[in-house]
Amino acid sequence: MMDTQLVLTGFLKRAQRYFPNKQIISRTSPTKTHRITFNDYVKRTHRLADALTKLGMKRGTKVGTFAWNHHRHLEAYFAIPSSGAVLHTINIRLAPEHIVYIINHAEDEILLIDSDLFPLVEPALGHLKTVKHIIVMGDELSAPQSSFPNVYSYEQLLQEADENFEFPTDLDENLPAGMCYTSATTGMPKGVVYTHRSIVLHSLALGLAESFAIKESDTALPIVPMFHANAWGFPFAALNFGSNIILPGPMMTPGLVLDLIEQEKVTITAGVPTIWLGALSEQEKQPRDLSSVRLIISGGSASPKGLIQAYNEKLGVPYINAYGMTETSPLVSMSHLISEMNDYTDDEQLNIRVSQGLTVSLIETEVVNENGPVPWDGKTMGELRVRGPWIASEYYNDERTKEAFRDGWLYTGDIAVYTKEGYIKITDRTKDLIKSGGEWISSVDLENALMSHPAVFEAAVIAVPHPKWQERPLACVVLKEGATASKEELIESIELEFAKWWLPDDVVFLNEIPKTSVGKFLKATLREQLKDYEVQI
Amino acid sequence: MMDTQLVLTGFLKRAQRYFPNKQIISRTSPTKTHRITFNDYVKRTHRLADALTKLGMKRGTKVGTFAWNHHRHLEAYFAIPSSGAVLHTINIRLAPEHIVYIINHAEDEILLIDSDLFPLVEPALGHLKTVKHIIVMGDELSAPQSSFPNVYSYEQLLQEADENFEFPTDLDENLPAGMCYTSATTGMPKGVVYTHRSIVLHSLALGLAESFAIKESDTALPIVPMFHANAWGFPFAALNFGSNIILPGPMMTPGLVLDLIEQEKVTITAGVPTIWLGALSEQEKQPRDLSSVRLIISGGSASPKGLIQAYNEKLGVPYINAYGMTETSPLVSMSHLISEMNDYTDDEQLNIRVSQGLTVSLIETEVVNENGPVPWDGKTMGELRVRGPWIASEYYNDERTKEAFRDGWLYTGDIAVYTKEGYIKITDRTKDLIKSGGEWISSVDLENALMSHPAVFEAAVIAVPHPKWQERPLACVVLKEGATASKEELIESIELEFAKWWLPDDVVFLNEIPKTSVGKFLKATLREQLKDYEVQI
């Protein structure tokens, strides 16, 4: 067989050759929509590669991006790796000291920064040790004023660049193509390096009928930042399969997301449950036409049952969970039903839909505890471990590699069970598990149950210290606007679903649950906020 | 990223772990259906690997199969490569001297032969130079009488084998996994070697929404022999994606195929146009319920327009062309319509459907003539060349490699044009092209046009020598049972579609067109039969 390397340049050629008229649509402001065809996009990508090469980008050079979701960011997505360099997408929502740390740690030599984000970064520029050039992305043809010596306008560089720039044809599939830092609970963020091979294989996985089934007739709207696990791989897959791609810029509010779906006839979209929770409220207030949508993918954290039901049943829009993390590219599993479940009751089907799903092709998962792999009984918990061709094997130049990567597996830090059908069900993060009287209690199960109550907008359950049981669960609840519910009523509403000792000892009502930049509950912060809480014995 | 090798053992594990109850259904005789679950199948596959290992199978050992489509053949499909050995599927329809040649040339050490085919092979056994063991596949628990020393019963070996046999976990993805010989126009067949990597990637391609979209809810019926390009990859993909798989044994008559579709609620099926032509006649005589079918894939040779129309419009069953060959694993392209074609007229859509289609992901195609790549104008012909990770790079130990493999491309020997949308349209085999007065005439285009005539069952157009124009086209036509049509009427029916000089000079009526074992027209035989034909000047 031919020794054809699985490299991203092939995707770019395919996009231009077979799908020249497909579109990249960027919502750069609430009133402004930018459209570009694949053909023009690919030409600009060649120009960008030429411009970066002139600035000294070589094979292996790290080029950082600090940007929202838009066509210029997408140009960087292909121009950099297709040249043999490394696309480092920087999470713009990190604390300034973390941003400085990761740019220095990755040794980025060039940065591409959105013009509206540049003022935020400016004060930190003095702390950067390896950056030689900064390119400001925006419509402007001139660079902003800065104390940093080499600052350029993106559009001006592109004007001066050559669209006939040729990408190298001898890239090895195991070359680094991208990198992304993931925040750690303690300490600095940890870097994950993606290769051409891992991105190409992951993109193929997104085209499988068993997973996202991305194809030419799709219009894809990833509502996931492009600095977060490559927007779950959508940008790469969409170019290869010829789908239109919608990039919502900084505007990810529920109302604007629903507007985009309606206006652009989106067929597939993906985001965290917080987005879908917000979109559901918005849709109830002001309904949009969502009939074009064939699939909503929810990931990043667990979706409560009520949310899944509301989309699938009330709105009639298929809503499916997916599971993954930065270290896994991210797709690991998806909660599509398989054919034997056609005979399940609605409740049994919902139990599957609420899970993290069936492991996708080429990926292996196991849930292990001190006795080895757990039985598929829906209740024996263990830590989920993962391996496969798009799973990281280490953190980039980081001592913490040995904590997570052992025996050829990535240990996810997620506590899970397998349903009897082999679907993964995350019950907790290792560090969020509640250990009461020596037994584990799943905070996620309690949260999901609480969130099914009609008055509850969000619920997080954390462990609080207890003199007798070591730890006990405490529910932190945000009620829906205008809704009321008592502690007793909420606990009563879930008492049939759990053993008595699982039930939270108390409910604290809050105005909001603290969240990470990607919408996950920040339980460490919550525990800190409630550290003086005392359990009533 | 993890250095996970793309090997077939992963498919087997996945099949057993997640889809233990899915079925392999073999039609071993017109009245007998054999059913086995994936779980039991995988256990038997382990037993077979153990039995073969005990007979001396090692990494790299070539094991030949000489068999119809059934579960035992499918056991060999995984047991052999998963052990690091090489599955050599032998075309049972080859001439005896070719069969002897390829077994000796591949250096097969073990042969697995169907019990009903064993008597056919027996006389040739004395000519085999490397075969040490023969295993006879059938229900019998004892081996047939033979002058060959080591002949075993498959079922008896399996009974004595260990189902806990462990496949190696250190296979390299570039190891040979399978081989298949393709017949040459002159000389002995030429061998193609598939690797684990090429088979895994090709299987993924069959799961893409843009191609076959094979998934768990499918019931797949490949009506392609398992000795022909791995039954187009269905067996491997079905196990990985968890589809039921139907293996029709030796019974591939149209009536039995339609019965199987109806009885087993087949969702996806694939075969050569000859099968679909026969099935159409049969369906018109005795209609079966085909409502379960979501996709018929036709390949191996071109489908006439009328056939495509009949399935898509009259029967309401989606019928799509695919293109490939033994050297290409085989999938290269598929004639799915893309979204911009929604606005096409019926005729324009049919012109796309009749093509060999759009090149699938990871594969590159080009049509080249003496001036380089041809324009996408639907008329400039050139030779189709192909490259990609599941395209062969050579013929196994064969001097003829240099004729077909040049500059990193496989030259297919097919003459093609690109439509303006970049769809491949095969107009001829290089050797079947008609060159009249220095200009090329496509025999395939003429055949397709003739086959649209309601009285025509099959039509082949060949070149005959001509004193003035060097070559002229001659149409060879088989009429439908009971139908009549004159030469003049047939030629008149196509004269609006072609330049006058393209029209066949004459029509010869035949009872049948000679065909290869896979249903392709044997034009060399036809030219030989008609060598004394004289053109009327």
Side-chain angles (χ1 to χ4, degrees):
Chain A
M1 290 288 124
M2 291 182 182
D3 181 29
T4 307
Q5 297 294 294
L6 306 176
V7 292
L8 287 170
T9 29
F11 284 13
L12 210 50
K13 276 165 81 173
R14 182 173 165 78
Q16 189 175 36
R17 187 169 166 86
Y18 295 115
F19 313 115
N21 302 319
K22 300 310 292 274
Q23 295 202 346
I24 295 149
I25 299 146
S26 305
R27 177 68 74 96
T28 45
S29 86
T31 53
K32 207 168 140 197
T33 304
H34 177 277
R35 290 172 188 273
I36 184 170
T37 63
F38 278 15
N39 189 41
D40 290 339
Y41 162 80
V42 175
K43 286 181 187 167
R44 281 173 54 90
T45 299
H46 282 251
R47 283 180 183 266
L48 175 58
D50 182 53
L52 291 168
T53 302
K54 285 175 182 159
L55 289 180
M57 180 178 74
K58 295 190 178 59
R59 296 207 185 179
T61 301
K62 314 291 196 312
V63 181
T65 61
F66 196 85
W68 303 107
N69 290 13
H70 50 62
H71 67 288
R72 294 188 184 97
H73 202 173
L74 191 64
E75 285 155 13
Y77 256 59
F78 276 92
I80 297 164
S82 297
S83 305
V86 185
L87 169 79
H88 171 204
T89 53
I90 302 163
N91 183 342
I92 63 173
R93 295 205 182 102
L94 290 178
E97 84 246 40
H98 284 185
I99 293 173
V100 168
Y101 168 82
I102 68 175
I103 294 173
N104 287 334
H105 187 262
E107 303 183 74
D108 291 339
E109 294 180 33
I110 304 175
L111 291 182
L112 291 112
I113 304 177
D114 269 359
S115 57
D116 63 334
L117 297 172
F118 187 69
L120 294 180
V121 188
E122 245 267 327
L125 296 182
H127 303 285
L128 304 182
K129 296 176 185 161
T130 53
V131 174
K132 297 171 194 157
H133 305 280
I134 290 176
I135 301 171
V136 177
M137 293 196 284
D139 294 339
E140 306 81 4
L141 278 171
S142 60
Q145 290 295 320
S146 172
S147 56
F148 194 86
N150 302 313
V151 179
Y152 314 87
S153 144
Y154 184 94
E155 289 301 328
Q156 194 185 0
L157 285 182
L158 255 62
Q159 272 194 358
E160 293 160 3
D162 184 358
E163 83 180 27
N164 296 313
F165 175 86
E166 288 189 12
F167 288 116
T169 55
D170 62 343
L171 296 180
D172 184 285
E173 64 186 32
N174 291 310
L175 266 186
M179 65 193 300
C180 188
Y181 282 73
T182 178
S183 30
T185 325
T186 54
M188 289 294 167
K190 299 174 284 189
V192 172
V193 175
Y194 306 111
T195 63
H196 280 269
R197 172 178 162 116
S198 76
I199 296 175
V200 167
L201 290 174
H202 184 264
S203 303
L204 280 198
L206 300 193
L208 294 177
E210 70 171 18
S211 68
F212 294 9
I214 298 181
K215 54 184 173 298
E216 183 275 337
S217 57
D218 275 322
T219 293
L221 168 62
I223 317 173
V224 190
M226 288 169 74
F227 51 75
H228 183 61
N230 296 326
W232 299 358
F234 270 92
F236 297 117
L239 263 286
N240 179 64
F241 294 116
S243 324
N244 291 320
I245 184 161
I246 317 281
L247 300 172
M251 265 67 61
M252 302 218 192
T253 64
L256 286 164
V257 164
L258 291 176
D259 286 345
L260 270 179
I261 292 177
E262 182 178 67
Q263 287 157 17
E264 301 297 340
K265 298 192 171 40
V266 167
T267 61
I268 180 168
T269 175
V272 292
T274 314
I275 289 278
W276 304 122
L277 214 51
L280 181 62
S281 303
E282 174 70 22
Q283 180 71 3
E284 280 164 357
K285 282 183 224 149
Q286 187 191 333
R288 271 74 157 194
D289 178 4
L290 306 181
S291 61
S292 59
V293 181
R294 68 167 179 84
L295 186 61
I296 289 179
I297 297 152
S298 177
S301 59
S303 289
K305 276 188 186 176
L307 185 62
I308 297 175
Q309 273 179 313
Y311 277 91
N312 284 309
E313 291 161 30
K314 265 199 253 167
L315 302 186
V317 180
Y319 179 107
I320 297 282
N321 276 345
Y323 169 77
M325 52 209 296
T326 303
E327 292 87 335
T328 65
S329 290
L331 186 63
V332 169
S333 61
M334 250 189 116
S335 67
H336 285 297
L337 270 55
I338 60 172
S339 44
E340 66 184 63
M341 297 168 183
N342 292 341
D343 302 332
Y344 280 20
T345 64
D346 287 354
D347 259 13
E348 287 169 331
Q349 288 193 351
L350 189 58
N351 262 326
I352 292 293
R353 286 187 206 280
V354 85
S355 80
Q356 277 58 48
L358 199 64
T359 307
V360 299
S361 286
L362 297 195
I363 298 297
E364 285 183 89
T365 59
E366 273 184 4
V367 174
V368 288
N369 63 20
E370 61 278 16
N371 304 316
V374 303
W376 288 10
D377 60 6
K379 60 185 184 198
T380 311
M381 294 188 226
E383 186 173 359
L384 178 67
R385 61 183 192 180
V386 185
R387 65 183 179 192
W390 55 84
I391 310 299
S393 56
E394 60 172 7
Y395 291 120
Y396 180 67
N397 287 346
D398 201 307
E399 282 292 315
R400 290 167 292 181
T401 289
K402 59 181 184 299
E403 297 161 16
F405 301 93
R406 305 190 305 270
D407 327 315
W409 292 88
L410 161 68
Y411 283 77
T412 61
D414 280 328
I415 299 298
V417 299
Y418 274 121
T419 69
K420 68 180 200 304
E421 303 88 353
Y423 280 58
I424 298 161
K425 207 162 184 173
I426 304 290
T427 55
D428 235 316
R429 290 291 298 167
T430 39
K431 52 189 173 297
D432 293 335
L433 259 186
I434 301 155
K435 201 159 192 181
S436 175
E439 295 289 337
W440 284 355
I441 294 174
S442 159
S443 64
V444 175
D445 284 359
L446 290 171
E447 288 160 7
N448 285 338
L450 285 168
M451 285 196 271
S452 300
H453 190 283
V456 174
F457 180 67
E458 283 181 332
V461 176
I462 57 171
V464 287
H466 189 281
K468 182 171 174 195
W469 303 110
Q470 293 85 49
E471 289 182 353
R472 288 294 302 155
L474 171 69
C476 308
V477 167
V478 181
L479 292 177
K480 284 187 187 155
E481 230 181 289
T484 54
S486 68
K487 297 179 184 192
E488 293 72 23
E489 183 186 339
L490 290 178
I491 299 214
E492 209 181 293
S493 75
I494 65 168
E495 70 184 9
L496 289 179
E497 290 181 59
F498 299 100
K500 201 166 179 327
W501 61 273
W502 270 52
L503 296 175
D505 284 10
D506 200 358
V507 178
V508 175
F509 291 95
L510 303 175
N511 290 326
E512 64 172 334
I513 310 276
K515 292 191 198 69
T516 68
S517 62
V518 294
K520 295 188 199 188
F521 290 157
L522 256 179
K523 292 205 184 166
T525 309
L526 203 54
R527 279 192 293 265
E528 179 59 25
Q529 283 175 6
L530 293 162
K531 68 175 190 293
D532 298 327
Y533 173 90
E534 278 183 32
V535 180
Q536 312 294 321
I537 306 175
Chain B
M1 291 286 123
M2 291 182 181
D3 181 28
T4 306
Q5 297 295 293
L6 306 176
V7 292
L8 288 170
T9 29
F11 284 13
L12 210 50
K13 275 165 82 172
R14 183 174 164 79
Q16 189 176 34
R17 186 169 167 88
Y18 295 114
F19 313 115
N21 303 319
K22 299 310 292 273
Q23 294 201 348
I24 295 149
I25 299 146
S26 306
R27 178 66 75 95
T28 46
S29 86
T31 54
K32 206 168 139 196
T33 303
H34 177 277
R35 289 171 190 273
I36 184 170
T37 63
F38 277 16
N39 188 42
D40 290 339
Y41 162 81
V42 175
K43 286 181 188 167
R44 280 172 56 90
T45 299
H46 282 251
R47 282 179 184 269
L48 175 58
D50 182 53
L52 291 168
T53 302
K54 284 174 184 160
L55 289 180
M57 180 178 75
K58 295 189 177 62
R59 295 205 185 181
T61 300
K62 313 292 194 313
V63 181
T65 61
F66 195 85
W68 304 107
N69 290 14
H70 49 61
H71 67 288
R72 293 188 184 97
H73 202 173
L74 191 64
E75 285 155 11
Y77 255 59
F78 275 92
I80 296 163
S82 298
S83 305
V86 185
L87 168 81
H88 171 202
T89 52
I90 302 162
N91 184 342
I92 63 173
R93 296 205 181 101
L94 291 178
E97 84 246 41
H98 284 185
I99 293 173
V100 168
Y101 168 82
I102 67 174
I103 294 173
N104 287 334
H105 187 262
E107 303 182 74
D108 292 339
E109 295 181 31
I110 305 175
L111 291 182
L112 289 98
I113 303 177
D114 269 359
S115 57
D116 63 335
L117 297 172
F118 187 69
L120 293 181
V121 188
E122 245 267 327
L125 296 181
H127 302 285
L128 303 182
K129 295 176 185 160
T130 53
V131 174
K132 298 172 193 155
H133 305 280
I134 290 176
I135 301 171
V136 177
M137 293 195 285
D139 295 339
E140 307 82 3
L141 278 171
S142 60
Q145 290 296 321
S146 172
S147 55
F148 194 86
N150 302 313
V151 179
Y152 314 86
S153 143
Y154 184 93
E155 289 300 330
Q156 194 185 2
L157 285 183
L158 256 61
Q159 272 193 357
E160 293 161 4
D162 183 359
E163 84 179 27
N164 296 314
F165 175 87
E166 287 189 12
F167 288 115
T169 54
D170 62 343
L171 296 180
D172 185 284
E173 64 186 32
N174 292 309
L175 268 186
M179 64 193 301
C180 186
Y181 282 73
T182 179
S183 32
T185 326
T186 55
M188 289 294 169
K190 299 174 283 188
V192 172
V193 175
Y194 307 110
T195 62
H196 281 268
R197 173 178 160 116
S198 76
I199 296 175
V200 167
L201 290 174
H202 184 264
S203 302
L204 280 199
L206 300 192
L208 294 177
E210 69 170 19
S211 68
F212 293 10
I214 297 181
K215 53 184 172 298
E216 184 275 337
S217 57
D218 275 321
T219 293
L221 168 62
I223 317 172
V224 189
M226 287 170 73
F227 51 75
H228 183 60
N230 297 325
W232 298 358
F234 271 93
F236 297 117
L239 263 285
N240 180 63
F241 293 118
S243 326
N244 291 319
I245 184 159
I246 317 281
L247 300 172
M251 265 67 62
M252 303 217 192
T253 64
L256 286 163
V257 164
L258 291 177
D259 287 346
L260 270 179
I261 291 177
E262 181 177 67
Q263 287 157 17
E264 302 296 341
K265 298 193 171 39
V266 167
T267 61
I268 179 168
T269 175
V272 293
T274 313
I275 289 279
W276 303 123
L277 214 50
L280 181 63
S281 304
E282 174 70 22
Q283 179 71 3
E284 280 164 357
K285 282 185 224 145
Q286 187 192 330
R288 272 73 157 195
D289 178 3
L290 307 182
S291 61
S292 59
V293 181
R294 67 165 181 84
L295 185 61
I296 289 179
I297 298 152
S298 177
S301 60
S303 289
K305 276 188 187 176
L307 186 61
I308 296 174
Q309 273 178 312
Y311 277 91
N312 284 310
E313 291 161 30
K314 265 200 255 166
L315 302 185
V317 180
Y319 179 107
I320 298 281
N321 276 345
Y323 169 78
M325 52 209 295
T326 302
E327 292 87 335
T328 65
S329 291
L331 186 62
V332 168
S333 61
M334 251 190 116
S335 67
H336 286 296
L337 270 56
I338 59 173
S339 43
E340 66 184 61
M341 297 168 184
N342 292 341
D343 302 331
Y344 280 19
T345 64
D346 287 355
D347 259 14
E348 288 170 329
Q349 288 192 351
L350 189 57
N351 261 325
I352 292 293
R353 287 187 205 280
V354 84
S355 80
Q356 278 58 49
L358 199 65
T359 308
V360 298
S361 286
L362 298 195
I363 298 297
E364 284 183 88
T365 59
E366 274 184 2
V367 175
V368 288
N369 64 20
E370 60 278 17
N371 304 317
V374 303
W376 288 10
D377 61 5
K379 60 186 187 199
T380 311
M381 294 187 226
E383 185 173 359
L384 178 67
R385 62 182 190 181
V386 185
R387 65 182 178 192
W390 55 83
I391 310 299
S393 56
E394 60 173 7
Y395 291 120
Y396 180 66
N397 287 345
D398 201 305
E399 282 292 314
R400 291 167 290 181
T401 289
K402 61 181 181 301
E403 296 161 19
F405 301 93
R406 304 190 306 271
D407 327 315
W409 293 88
L410 161 68
Y411 283 78
T412 62
D414 280 328
I415 299 299
V417 299
Y418 275 120
T419 69
K420 67 181 200 304
E421 304 87 353
Y423 282 57
I424 298 161
K425 207 162 184 173
I426 304 291
T427 55
D428 235 318
R429 291 290 298 165
T430 39
K431 52 189 172 298
D432 294 334
L433 259 187
I434 301 155
K435 201 158 190 181
S436 175
E439 295 290 337
W440 284 355
I441 295 175
S442 159
S443 63
V444 175
D445 283 359
L446 291 170
E447 288 160 6
N448 285 338
L450 285 167
M451 285 195 271
S452 301
H453 190 283
V456 174
F457 180 68
E458 283 180 333
V461 176
I462 58 171
V464 286
H466 189 280
K468 181 171 175 196
W469 303 111
Q470 294 86 49
E471 290 181 353
R472 287 295 302 156
L474 171 69
C476 308
V477 167
V478 181
L479 292 177
K480 285 186 186 156
E481 231 181 290
T484 54
S486 67
K487 296 178 185 192
E488 294 71 24
E489 184 185 338
L490 289 178
I491 301 217
E492 209 180 293
S493 76
I494 65 168
E495 70 184 8
L496 289 180
E497 290 181 59
F498 300 100
K500 202 167 179 329
W501 60 274
W502 269 51
L503 296 175
D505 283 9
D506 200 358
V507 179
V508 176
F509 292 96
L510 302 174
N511 291 325
E512 64 172 334
I513 310 276
K515 293 191 196 68
T516 67
S517 61
V518 295
K520 295 188 200 190
F521 290 158
L522 258 179
K523 292 204 185 168
T525 309
L526 202 56
R527 280 192 293 264
E528 179 61 23
Q529 283 175 6
L530 293 162
K531 69 176 189 294
D532 298 327
Y533 174 89
E534 277 184 32
V535 181
Q536 311 295 320
I537 307 175

